[in-house]
Amino acid sequence: MIYSLDFLATIFAMATGFAAAWVGLELVRLAGWREPQFAGMRAHPVRVGMELALAAVVGPRLLLINGFRNWRAGMVSLPLYAVLALVAAGWSICSGVLVLQMAFASGYFLA
């Protein structure tokens, strides 16, 4: 049996994941992040690892925004954009669960 609280928890985790993606992207923009070839730097393994971690957090937002932009330009069909949106929602749920688990593990919500 599926309870309505399960749906609410899923929506809350998805919203948390999308919020974490948005906050992560804005923090990186504020820090002045540039791609290595545009900044005149070599791509070191540490930087590549940091960029992969960033992509794991910001990925759902990038899928939605770039997919919507490409759909409006006629480069992506509507069914493909729907699949992109579903992947972004699932990815957001996963990252939202991780963010919520880190928040609960930190003890912030126990006080």
Side-chain angles (χ1 to χ4, degrees), residues 46-71:
V46 174
R47 184 177 174 100
V48 171
M50 288 173 37
E51 288 179 1
L52 284 173
L54 173 68
V57 173
V58 180
R61 186 179 187 281
L62 292 178
L63 275 178
L64 281 179
I65 298 301
N66 291 335
F68 183 73
R69 188 177 300 133
N70 289 334
W71 174 67

Side-chain angles (χ1 to χ4, degrees), residues 12-91:
F12 183 68
M14 184 170 50
T16 303
F18 279 123
W22 178 67
V23 169
L25 183 63
E26 293 302 320
L27 286 175
V28 168
R29 283 182 182 169
L30 284 173
W33 175 82
R34 299 286 180 266
E35 293 194 28
Q37 64 267 20
F38 296 132
M41 295 182 271
R42 284 188 30 219
H44 295 288
V46 174
R47 184 177 174 100
V48 171
M50 288 173 37
E51 288 179 1
L52 284 173
L54 173 68
V57 173
V58 180
R61 186 179 187 281
L62 292 178
L63 275 178
L64 281 179
I65 298 301
N66 291 335
F68 183 73
R69 188 177 300 133
N70 289 334
W71 174 67
R72 294 281 294 188
M75 296 173 13
V76 171
S77 65
L78 185 60
L80 181 58
Y81 180 64
V83 170
L84 284 174
L86 287 173
V87 169
W91 191 346

